[in-house]
Amino acid sequence: MAYRRGEGTSCGAEIPQDNILWRLLAVFFLFVTTSLAGFPQAAQAQNYTISSFDVEGNRRIESSTIIARTGITPGETVSAGQLNDAYQRLLDSGVFETVDLTPRGNTLVITVSEYPTINKISIEGNRRVKDQLLLDAISSQPRRVFTPQVAEADADMIAEIYSAQGRVSATVIPRIIRRSDNRVDLVFEVAEGTTIEIERVSFVGNRAYSDRRLRRVLESKQANILRTFLRGDTFIADRIEFDKQVLRDFYLSRGYVDFRINSANVEFTRERDAFFLVMNITEGQKFAFGKITTVSEIPGVDAAAYQAALKIKPGVTYSPTLIENSIARQERLGLKEGVDFLRVEPRVTRNNRDLTLDVQFVLTKGPRIFVERIDIEGNTTTLDRVIRRQFDTVEGDPFNPREIRQSAERIRALGFFAVADVETREGSSPSQVIVDVDVEEQPTGSLSLGGSYSVSDGFGIAIGLQEKNFLGRGQELGLTLSTAQDAEQYVVNFAEPYLLGRKLRFDLGLGLSTTNSSFASYDTKTVFFAPQLSYSIGELSALRLRYNWNNSEMTQQDGEVNGAVIASEIAQGKRSTSSLGLSYVYDSRLGGLNPNAGVLFEVGVDAAGLGGDNKFFKSSLRSIAQTKVLNEEMTLRASLEMGALHWQGDDFSRTLDRYVLGPSSFRGFEPAGIGPRDLSNGQDDAIGGNYYWVARFESDFPLGLPEEFGLRGGVFYDVGNLYNINNVDTTGASIVGADGSIRQVIGVSLLWDTPFGPLRFNFSQAVKKETFDKEQNFDFTIQARF
């Protein structure tokens, strides 16, 4: 139908109605068709019947192995989901880099690309850590399949090793170099970075103890001016947790039962080149023991006897260690009296008014559980018996959890193992347990080099070889060679801690010592053999039985003229001594009731004459008492030494046999600077004395300097005497000082705890002395071990 534009019409010609209807239907049809085309068609599940396989791309892995890994058997009808599961299983095997499964009719085509094998592994960029240490820590190994996941995990492990050394910024990137035959070289590129030090360690909330005192407790240290040699100031994250534990133990052992660590924050400095370590703590109040009582809930067991076994008394500062020791005492008494399965339960009552803790030890019967056996694993070198003797419990004994824990601590304290885990599990019946000991050996030998200097002996060096677990028997074997300008010593030491399987320590020393002192007109040479037995008779006391054989002589120095006494003693030539001695030792400085105070008391006697040339009795006494005051900032120490030589027989004694005092015994004088002297022949020879006593009083304290300097001050006062020359050949001699007189010395000290070893400067002035004494106003000593 034609149409035309009408004249005088503004909207155009009129369209017939039937044409409009057809056009609307066409538009509607087109819309519906287009809309339906936009919707996805419903997928129909498709199944595949697999009758054969075609494996492509594999080189090392057998086709049959790959097919078996898919989990599809020939003739099986599988869905698309099952094919996807087969694909995932092949990827999860960890040996294929890519996998493709394509059904072609009844054949499943498996196309794989294998991961390469590792040809070699190298580490580049490491200077601070040896290659072997890093290679031992990673899982990737030559001739094994390379996987990126394992390589990334190895890179993280290497970074952790550096982080443990304070190099938290270290980065490790694994890279591969393609080689022929589907092999790769695996390279770990290391950027070590720098160590991040702890610039300052500070505390918030401490009132009883200063920051300086608490820093000495921690393993982490502030940046030190000698940090090239001392790495305690390097930040190590794992060390912070250890510091928190030792700080907690420090406060608990001093009665602060409410102590807690609120936070331990580590923050970067503004320059981000160091850390601040801030510990926020709450000390709480200090508690002491109140009433100490014992009650028994076991018929026929008298609590009074167990109460008498306790050592702690009211008023003593509270300490969990003292509670443990008390429980152990009462349990040992129960074993002695035949009370099986005894359990001691401490019940603590808090008295906030007077800050005391009443402790009631309740004797109860524990469950009837026995130790079935003790299994030990991991000890490739150490013999089983070395570990078993750390247990007071043996198979068949009643099970005591506390004793097992203490045995585990003793095993760790041996120092033979890097790891020592002791666990218990149920045995063949509910009434039996098995104790599992899992250990990991570590090197027990050591080589030490040392240096020393003293005014007495001059400069010296020392070389030591030490094996703490000789042939895995728990025995100690050592060789020491020390030489100085005026003295030399060569010693072999051997020790058996459990002689004949008992708690009886056997020590043996064999050696040669010589002196060529500039403070004497003669030289000495001594060969000695000295075995000793030590037996603990209490927690803090022991008996020592010793034998000593030595052969010694005095010889004239070249160009020296001797006095009458020394000349007669040189003329005696070689003389041997065979002596038997017994000592009693009590030492509470480490294991006593008070962690800040303690005493050492030792008394002994030696009798010579069981063969040999010399006959005498020699008795000695040594006592030391020390305590810390002013919140443990200052140490006070007092000591007393005494000795008496009673010569027997018709022979004369020698200076070698008598007492000669040096600066280590009496400060302020030269070696052999006090005591009887022989002035004959124009000489001035010290000849020693038969009796001596020395009392020393000293104190050391902080100087107010930064602790990282390691400097402390000290003052001291020494008083003593050396006298008596009975049984000395005085023919032609001119003796002074035989009757003795009291000498007194005062002085100050500067103590420097250096990374090389403790260094001490003593400045002294004799308050009272004799005209013939040899004074020494300055003394300097250092001992270093590397």
Side-chain angles (χ1 to χ4, degrees):
M1 181 183 298
Y3 63 91
R4 61 182 181 183
R5 185 184 303 274
E7 296 177 358
T9 302
S10 60
C11 293
E14 183 179 355
I15 301 176
Q17 296 293 327
D18 57 344
N19 195 24
I20 294 175
L21 179 61
W22 281 106
R23 290 188 177 186
L24 289 174
L25 290 173
V27 171
F28 176 75
F29 178 78
L30 180 62
F31 172 76
V32 172
T33 304
T34 305
S35 300
L36 291 177
F39 287 102
Q41 298 294 322
Q44 296 183 354
Q46 186 173 4
N47 295 328
Y48 305 93
T49 300
I50 306 301
S51 59
S52 62
F53 298 88
D54 185 8
V55 181
E56 300 176 353
N58 57 316
R59 296 185 178 183
R60 300 187 312 272
I61 312 300
E62 296 291 337
S63 296
S64 58
T65 303
I66 298 174
I67 294 171
R69 186 74 181 181
T70 64
I72 301 174
T73 57
E76 182 181 359
T77 300
V78 297
S79 64
Q82 289 174 305
L83 284 178
N84 184 68
D85 292 340
Y87 166 82
Q88 197 61 47
R89 282 193 290 270
L90 288 173
L91 276 184
D92 292 343
S93 66
V95 296
F96 301 115
E97 191 170 359
T98 61
V99 176
D100 182 51
L101 301 183
T102 305
R104 295 178 183 171
N106 294 335
T107 301
L108 179 61
V109 180
I110 305 174
T111 305
V112 296
S113 174
E114 297 175 342
Y115 275 122
T117 55
I118 300 175
N119 180 48
K120 67 177 181 178
I121 301 175
S122 58
I123 300 175
E124 297 180 354
N126 58 313
R127 293 184 301 166
R128 302 292 180 178
V129 183
K130 298 294 184 182
D131 283 6
Q132 194 58 48
L133 176 63
L134 300 178
L135 292 173
D136 291 342
I138 63 178
S139 299
S140 299
Q141 298 294 329
R143 295 182 297 279
R144 292 186 183 178
V145 175
F146 165 79
T147 59
Q149 296 84 356
V150 174
E152 290 291 342
D154 290 340
D156 292 340
M157 176 60 68
I158 294 174
E160 287 181 12
I161 293 176
Y162 275 97
S163 179
Q165 297 186 2
R167 297 180 180 272
V168 295
S169 60
T171 59
V172 183
I173 300 175
R175 301 189 185 279
I176 59 172
I177 301 174
R178 297 280 181 177
R179 301 298 185 189
S180 60
D181 300 326
N182 199 28
R183 296 175 303 139
V184 295
D185 293 343
L186 177 57
V187 180
F188 292 96
E189 296 181 353
V190 179
E192 294 182 322
T194 59
T195 56
I196 306 298
E197 66 185 27
I198 301 175
E199 184 170 308
R200 180 165 298 279
V201 178
S202 58
F203 301 85
V204 176
N206 53 314
R207 295 174 300 168
Y209 298 98
S210 66
D211 285 14
R212 179 173 53 248
R213 178 65 185 96
L214 296 181
R215 288 191 197 105
R216 295 207 302 269
V217 177
L218 304 185
E219 187 76 12
S220 299
K221 303 298 181 183
Q222 291 186 162
N224 192 290
I225 58 175
L226 297 176
R227 72 178 314 272
T228 301
F229 309 99
L230 180 66
R231 292 292 179 178
D233 59 355
T234 299
F235 172 74
I236 299 176
D238 293 342
R239 188 185 288 167
I240 304 300
E241 289 302 316
F242 177 78
D243 288 337
K244 291 165 66 174
Q245 184 60 50
V246 296
L247 186 62
R248 188 177 294 108
D249 293 342
F250 172 83
Y251 270 98
L252 289 178
S253 66
R254 286 154 177 81
Y256 293 88
V257 297
D258 298 325
F259 173 80
R260 67 178 183 271
I261 299 176
N262 303 316
S263 63
N265 297 323
V266 180
E267 299 178 355
F268 266 117
T269 60
R270 183 183 299 272
E271 295 79 11
R272 301 187 67 81
D273 59 352
F275 285 105
F276 291 132
L277 172 60
V278 182
M279 287 196 171
N280 188 305
I281 65 176
T282 298
E283 291 181 328
Q285 298 292 329
K286 183 176 182 178
F287 283 77
F289 283 104
K291 296 179 181 179
I292 309 295
T293 58
T294 303
V295 297
S296 174
E297 296 180 353
I298 305 175
V301 174
D302 182 15
Y306 291 83
Q307 176 71 19
L310 300 178
K311 295 296 184 182
I312 54 177
K313 304 297 180 185
V316 174
T317 300
Y318 177 83
S319 171
T321 303
L322 299 183
I323 296 291
E324 283 290 319
N325 293 342
S326 299
I327 294 174
R329 284 176 174 274
Q330 292 186 331
E331 288 181 347
R332 284 197 297 268
L333 179 59
L335 290 175
K336 183 178 179 181
E337 296 187 348
V339 182
D340 293 331
F341 306 104
L342 174 68
R343 293 292 181 269
V344 181
E345 178 185 344
R347 297 175 183 174
V348 180
T349 303
R350 183 182 180 119
N351 305 311
N352 289 323
R353 175 171 296 182
D354 58 1
L355 298 179
T356 60
L357 298 173
D358 298 338
V359 182
Q360 184 182 68
F361 294 95
V362 182
L363 310 180
T364 63
K365 274 284 189 179
R368 293 182 60 83
I369 301 177
F370 297 87
V371 176
E372 182 175 352
R373 68 177 186 271
I374 300 175
D375 290 341
I376 302 173
E377 295 184 355
N379 52 319
T380 56
T381 301
T382 306
L383 302 180
D384 276 11
R385 69 168 184 262
V386 175
I387 301 174
R388 288 183 182 275
R389 67 193 184 195
Q390 306 306 318
F391 287 89
D392 293 331
T393 300
V394 297
E395 284 86 347
D397 281 357
F399 172 65
N400 187 322
R402 187 193 56 77
E403 287 188 356
I404 298 301
R405 290 195 301 270
Q406 291 182 342
S407 300
E409 292 301 322
R410 287 194 290 267
I411 293 173
R412 298 185 186 103
L414 290 173
F416 301 165
F417 310 109
V419 176
D421 295 327
V422 179
E423 304 289 343
T424 58
R425 56 187 170 91
E426 185 175 316
S428 57
S429 67
S431 63
Q432 293 183 316
V433 298
I434 297 174
V435 180
D436 291 324
V437 182
D438 188 10
V439 299
E440 180 183 329
E441 302 271 8
Q442 69 177 2
T444 54
S446 63
L447 168 65
S448 62
L449 302 176
S452 64
Y453 174 80
S454 69
V455 175
S456 305
D457 299 327
F459 288 98
I461 61 172
I463 302 175
L465 293 171
Q466 187 75 22
E467 172 56 57
K468 297 188 298 182
N469 189 16
F470 183 60
L471 299 179
R473 299 174 180 270
Q475 299 167 341
E476 300 174 18
L477 181 65
L479 172 64
T480 303
L481 295 83
S482 61
T483 176
Q485 290 174 307
D486 293 345
E488 294 182 357
Q489 192 173 49
Y490 309 90
V491 180
V492 177
N493 293 310
F494 174 80
E496 168 56 73
Y498 285 80
L499 185 64
L500 302 177
R502 300 180 179 274
K503 292 184 178 180
L504 181 65
R505 181 181 177 89
F506 171 72
D507 290 273
L508 175 64
L510 176 66
L512 165 69
S513 65
T514 63
T515 65
N516 181 23
S517 177
S518 58
F519 296 96
S521 60
Y522 57 91
D523 296 336
T524 67
K525 181 178 181 181
T526 303
V527 179
F528 61 90
F529 169 76
Q532 176 179 273
L533 292 175
S534 301
Y535 177 71
S536 296
I537 58 176
E539 293 181 1
L540 305 173
S541 56
L543 285 177
R544 295 174 181 169
L545 177 65
R546 59 183 172 273
Y547 173 78
N548 183 281
W549 178 89
N550 67 72
N551 187 283
S552 59
E553 66 174 327
M554 300 170 60
T555 58
Q556 186 174 0
Q557 293 182 352
D558 295 340
E560 289 287 342
V561 177
N562 303 119
V565 173
I566 298 300
S568 66
E569 293 175 355
I570 292 175
Q572 293 185 36
K574 293 182 179 180
R575 295 185 64 84
S576 62
T577 300
S578 175
S579 65
L580 188 66
L582 179 67
S583 294
Y584 167 80
V585 181
Y586 174 86
D587 191 353
S588 67
R589 292 175 296 177
L590 294 179
L593 297 179
N594 188 347
N596 297 321
V599 298
L600 166 69
F601 177 78
E602 181 176 0
V603 60
V605 62
D606 292 88
L610 305 173
D613 303 315
N614 299 327
K615 296 181 180 180
F616 59 80
F617 290 98
K618 181 178 285 189
S619 55
S620 61
L621 181 145
R622 182 166 66 111
S623 179
I624 301 174
Q626 65 183 35
T627 186
K628 294 181 178 180
V629 297
L630 300 179
N631 291 332
E632 303 182 25
E633 295 284 357
M634 177 181 290
T635 301
L636 303 178
R637 186 179 299 106
S639 61
L640 173 67
E641 288 186 16
M642 304 177 67
L645 173 66
H646 302 277
W647 196 260
Q648 306 293 313
D650 300 329
D651 296 326
F652 293 111
S653 65
R654 300 171 302 169
T655 305
L656 273 180
D657 308 312
R658 298 186 289 271
Y659 295 105
V660 177
L661 301 184
S664 60
S665 299
F666 202 144
R667 289 164 288 198
F669 296 96
E670 291 182 358
I674 68 169
R677 309 187 77 85
D678 178 14
L679 305 180
S680 61
N681 298 333
Q683 299 303 304
D684 188 358
D685 293 334
I687 59 176
N690 293 325
Y691 306 119
Y692 88 98
W693 63 268
V694 175
R696 296 186 294 270
F697 305 91
E698 57 187 319
S699 172
D700 65 79
F701 45 82
L703 294 175
L705 299 173
E707 186 193 1
E708 55 267 24
F709 288 179
L711 293 171
R712 292 175 63 84
V715 295
F716 61 87
Y717 166 71
D718 292 359
V719 56
N721 192 7
L722 174 65
Y723 58 101
N724 190 282
I725 55 170
N726 291 341
N727 302 104
V728 175
D729 185 2
T730 58
T731 304
S734 176
I735 305 297
V736 295
D739 296 332
S741 63
I742 295 177
R743 280 82 163 176
Q744 302 179 54
V745 173
I746 60 173
V748 297
S749 300
L750 179 64
L751 297 85
W752 189 9
D753 189 11
T754 73
F756 304 105
L759 188 151
R760 185 177 186 118
F761 303 90
N762 289 331
F763 304 88
S764 59
Q765 177 64 48
V767 177
K768 186 177 181 181
K769 63 174 184 176
E770 297 295 338
T771 56
F772 51 82
D773 290 338
K774 304 297 183 181
E775 193 173 359
Q776 181 174 280
N777 301 113
F778 172 73
D779 183 31
F780 161 69
T781 59
I782 184 173
Q783 287 188 330
R785 296 179 70 86
F786 307 96

